[in-house]
Amino acid sequence: MTTTSSVTQPPKLLRPETSFLKEIVDTIYNELDRKEVCLPLNIVGIAIHDEEINPWLEQCNLEFLVIYGMGGSGKTTPAKTIYHSNLKKFESVSFLEDIGRICEGSNGLLLLQEQLLNDISWGKWRKIPVVSRGTPLIQDALKMNKALVVLDDIVECKQLVALLEICISNIGEVKMLFLHIACFFVGKDMNYVVEIMEPDYSATLGIQTLINRCLVSVSPNKKLTMHRLLQEMGKNIVCQESDLPANRSRVWLSGDSYKIVRKRMGSETVEGLALDMEILSKEDVTFKDLQSLHILNLKDSHSLTEIRNISKIPHLETLILWNCFSLVNVCNTLGDLKDLALLNMTGCNSLTPTFPLPFSLHRLFLIDCHLECTDSFPLSFSVQLKLEYLNLANSLFESFPCYNHLDNLQVLDLSFCSRLKCLICLPSTLAELYIYGCEFLERITFQFSQFTLQEFGYLGCTRLYEVEGLFKLVPIAKLDETDLGHMKWLKKYQYHEVCLVGDDELTVDRSWHIQVRCFSLKYIINMPFAN
């Protein structure tokens, strides 16, 4: 008895014995239930898909793979094959087959949620009270382990939302961009969307991320497209924010938007809304109580003549007035918008720009506004120190203010400013300069003499003779023979017209506008009359 009493006693159980037994049973259950699927015999041509897809599935950052096509085109078979050959590589697996048919029955979607949750949580979950409760439970369970889930034959958006919404919740910062595209921009030109969304959502990189994750695609004519179920899922996510459209972050139905604006029902949650401007133009409406509205797109509002009380939308970040050619006045409170990063007034050619611009601007489009440099609008942008992109194409000014204070300016577009004669002391940070069709432009200098442009478009600048750091054209008549060195023979042709040969934009259309000149670039002078 003495020996027996000295034996170390087993530790006390911290929970009931039945709980331990349940855990043992669940573990054995999951080890025995490998959740395999039945594959058809004598499958031909599947191996090549395995070779392409299996290494892709092993990537640590993979979210999901979509196989879509017409009914009966053979989507389920490759899905089963991929699942069967990879199920042992994941901590948990689930194959939900024939979802469309199952959901036709009563509580079918709820039963599928329970099956999925049971599969990926090793039998720890058995019952789900309602579908809305099941979705977050599935999301939480998928965060706990590396899972392979196959959803076969989804035919309605509500099925996708209830079973795969985790794919949206896991895309981080681009989720907001995805929701904006789903609600407003499907079928729109990608460049147009980038122009609007770039400042706030890094749209160029964000759209590429969405493309890589099969959430968005781009058509051959550069339109953004999205699978119908994914678009409906995005809209459904927004609808879940509130039963009232006025309390949602995005309102895409013009009828709902019109009611919000007309009855002043806006809330602090509205970030974007779509409006039918033909309906809106029939009444005098006020944007009020839209504290969280970030984007206001009034493009092609041909009847819009005035913008008033814009400060009532204090957190506005993007204002699009593109092609509002009847607009003649914008209130001075525009300058009070502290968050406005993008202002596009392209085509507002009736506008008299006497209003101040916000200091917060990053991107400014004043294309085809026929601007002149005046005391009321000097074009100096002295307080817009955050400007990165400036487009003043097709303006009427002859000279240009010094912009060496714009240390963040990356892109400057002055194309078709037909009266422009010189550009002096451009900022050294400038990466892109476009001056297409500036036929009277002669000279360009920079803040520092070193040429740093990465993109430079100057086709049609037939009088341009100097770009500091790049080239300078000097008449032969002004050079001594000693300056010409072994090319002193050119002196006797100094008053002849010549043709310039080369593919560079500098040579195009210039043969009838200059006499013999000396280049600092590598051009060939075509002189058929020379000996």
Side-chain angles (χ1 to χ4, degrees):
M1 291 295 296
T2 304
T3 304
T4 304
S5 62
S6 65
V7 176
T8 303
Q9 298 297 315
K12 293 184 179 181
L13 296 178
L14 300 179
R15 51 180 171 161
E17 184 176 320
T18 55
S19 177
F20 281 105
L21 289 175
K22 181 179 182 305
E23 182 175 338
I24 293 172
V25 171
D26 288 341
T27 301
I28 295 174
Y29 168 81
N30 284 284
E31 287 297 320
L32 293 177
D33 180 20
R34 293 305 301 165
K35 305 178 182 63
E36 295 183 351
V37 294
C38 181
L39 292 175
L41 298 176
N42 304 320
I43 303 176
V44 178
I46 293 295
I48 187 171
H49 295 298
D50 277 357
E51 294 174 1
E52 293 177 351
I53 294 175
N54 289 349
W56 191 62
L57 282 173
E58 296 174 2
Q59 297 178 18
C60 61
N61 62 344
L62 179 67
E63 294 290 345
F64 63 96
L65 167 68
V66 178
I67 303 175
Y68 60 93
M70 295 175 57
S73 60
K75 302 182 293 297
T76 300
T77 299
K80 285 184 175 180
T81 305
I82 294 167
Y83 173 86
H84 185 269
S85 59
N86 287 278
L87 62 87
K88 294 183 179 180
K89 301 176 183 177
F90 292 82
E91 298 173 81
S92 60
V93 293
S94 179
F95 193 104
L96 302 185
E97 191 172 1
D98 208 5
I99 292 173
R101 182 186 61 79
I102 293 174
C103 286
E104 291 177 357
S106 60
N107 297 324
L109 191 54
L110 189 64
L111 293 174
L112 288 168
Q113 281 189 324
E114 289 180 349
Q115 179 186 338
L116 174 57
L117 190 58
N118 186 61
D119 288 345
I120 61 178
S121 57
W122 303 293
K124 293 180 181 179
W125 289 93
R126 297 297 183 186
K127 294 293 182 181
I128 298 175
V130 291
V131 170
S132 60
R133 176 60 181 151
T135 301
L137 290 175
I138 292 171
Q139 291 180 352
D140 290 341
L142 285 171
K143 294 176 183 177
M144 301 301 294
N145 59 81
K146 184 179 180 181
L148 174 62
V149 178
V150 178
L151 307 177
D152 178 56
D153 192 30
I154 288 182
V155 295
E156 293 185 17
C157 175
K158 64 180 181 180
Q159 300 162 3
L160 186 62
V161 171
L163 302 170
L164 199 56
E165 193 173 333
I166 188 67
C167 67
I168 302 301
S169 62
N170 274 355
I171 59 178
E173 295 180 355
V174 295
K175 179 181 180 180
M176 296 297 102
L177 179 61
F178 169 81
L179 294 179
H180 273 308
I181 294 174
C183 294
F184 301 119
F185 297 120
V186 171
K188 302 297 183 183
D189 183 80
M190 184 180 71
N191 294 331
Y192 169 72
V193 176
V194 168
E195 180 181 306
I196 294 175
M197 308 299 291
E198 183 66 30
D200 304 310
Y201 298 96
S202 300
T204 302
L205 293 176
I207 289 176
Q208 188 58 53
T209 299
L210 294 174
I211 292 172
N212 293 342
R213 300 193 179 193
C214 300
L215 292 171
V216 170
S217 58
V218 182
S219 69
N221 60 344
K222 299 296 183 182
K223 305 292 185 183
L224 288 180
T225 62
M226 182 182 293
H227 192 281
R228 178 183 58 83
L229 290 178
L230 289 174
Q231 184 182 14
E232 290 181 13
M233 182 175 69
K235 291 181 176 180
N236 189 277
I237 292 172
V238 176
C239 288
Q240 290 176 7
E241 296 172 355
S242 174
D243 292 334
L244 297 175
N247 293 330
R248 298 172 186 163
S249 60
R250 297 159 182 84
V251 184
W252 58 91
L253 295 178
S254 188
D256 292 337
S257 300
Y258 177 71
K259 183 184 295 185
I260 290 172
V261 173
R262 184 174 179 273
K263 296 185 178 181
R264 302 181 181 180
M265 298 168 57
S267 67
E268 295 185 357
T269 59
V270 178
E271 297 181 15
L273 49 81
L275 287 163
D276 185 340
M277 296 310 300
E278 291 185 5
I279 298 177
L280 195 63
S281 64
K282 297 177 182 179
E283 296 191 32
D284 184 13
V285 297
T286 303
F287 292 97
K288 188 177 180 182
D289 299 327
L290 296 172
Q291 300 291 312
S292 295
L293 186 66
H294 293 165
I295 301 172
L296 180 58
N297 188 349
L298 301 176
K299 183 178 183 287
D300 295 323
S301 301
H302 299 160
S303 301
L304 183 66
T305 60
E306 185 175 9
I307 299 289
R308 300 194 303 268
N309 299 320
I310 194 70
S311 60
K312 297 294 185 180
I313 317 177
H315 298 298
L316 192 64
E317 297 174 355
T318 298
L319 176 59
I320 308 296
L321 300 171
W322 193 341
N323 207 23
C324 297
F325 49 71
S326 298
L327 183 65
V328 295
N329 184 46
V330 176
C331 60
N332 288 338
T333 59
L334 178 71
D336 298 332
L337 298 178
K338 298 180 180 180
D339 296 325
L340 190 66
L342 185 151
L343 175 61
N344 191 329
M345 306 184 84
T346 296
C348 296
N349 49 30
S350 299
L351 185 66
T352 303
T354 59
F355 49 87
L357 294 172
F359 69 87
S360 55
L361 282 177
H362 287 230
R363 297 165 66 84
L364 177 60
F365 298 79
L366 293 170
I367 309 167
D368 296 330
C369 291
H370 302 159
L371 296 174
E372 297 186 60
C373 192
T374 63
D375 292 337
S376 60
F377 202 73
L379 296 174
S380 59
F381 307 109
S382 56
V383 297
Q384 287 73 38
L385 303 181
K386 297 180 181 180
L387 266 180
E388 299 175 359
Y389 182 101
L390 178 59
N391 196 323
L392 303 175
N394 204 12
S395 292
L396 301 177
F397 43 76
E398 294 184 5
S399 60
F400 210 60
C402 179
Y403 279 176
N404 59 4
H405 60 286
L406 297 180
D407 293 335
N408 293 305
L409 190 63
Q410 297 288 314
V411 181
L412 178 61
D413 195 333
L414 301 171
S415 297
F416 305 104
C417 293
S418 57
R419 300 181 183 178
L420 185 62
K421 294 182 178 179
C422 64
L423 291 173
I424 304 300
C425 204
L426 292 179
S428 58
T429 56
L430 202 62
E432 301 177 30
L433 176 62
Y434 304 101
I435 50 172
Y436 295 112
C438 295
E439 55 184 340
F440 284 95
L441 184 62
E442 298 179 341
R443 186 167 178 255
I444 301 174
T445 66
F446 294 87
Q447 182 180 4
F448 301 111
S449 58
Q450 186 175 3
F451 183 82
T452 59
L453 291 179
Q454 300 172 15
E455 296 285 341
F456 184 29
Y458 52 97
L459 181 64
C461 297
T462 54
R463 288 177 172 81
L464 185 63
Y465 70 84
E466 180 182 3
V467 177
E468 186 177 23
L470 180 60
F471 66 80
K472 184 175 182 179
L473 307 181
V474 182
I476 295 295
K478 293 185 178 181
L479 295 177
D480 296 329
E481 291 187 359
T482 55
D483 296 323
L484 290 170
H486 69 280
M487 297 182 66
K488 64 181 67 176
W489 57 271
L490 285 173
K491 278 297 262 184
K492 60 182 175 181
Y493 300 110
Q494 59 186 339
Y495 298 114
H496 286 265
E497 279 193 342
V498 299
C499 296
L500 301 179
V501 178
D503 295 328
D504 193 273
E505 296 176 2
L506 183 67
T507 66
V508 178
D509 295 328
R510 294 181 67 98
S511 59
W512 298 106
H513 296 281
I514 64 169
Q515 294 178 326
V516 180
R517 294 173 185 249
C518 182
F519 294 82
S520 59
L521 293 178
K522 296 180 180 178
Y523 290 100
I524 301 173
I525 300 179
N526 181 17
M527 302 180 64
F529 46 83
N531 293 324

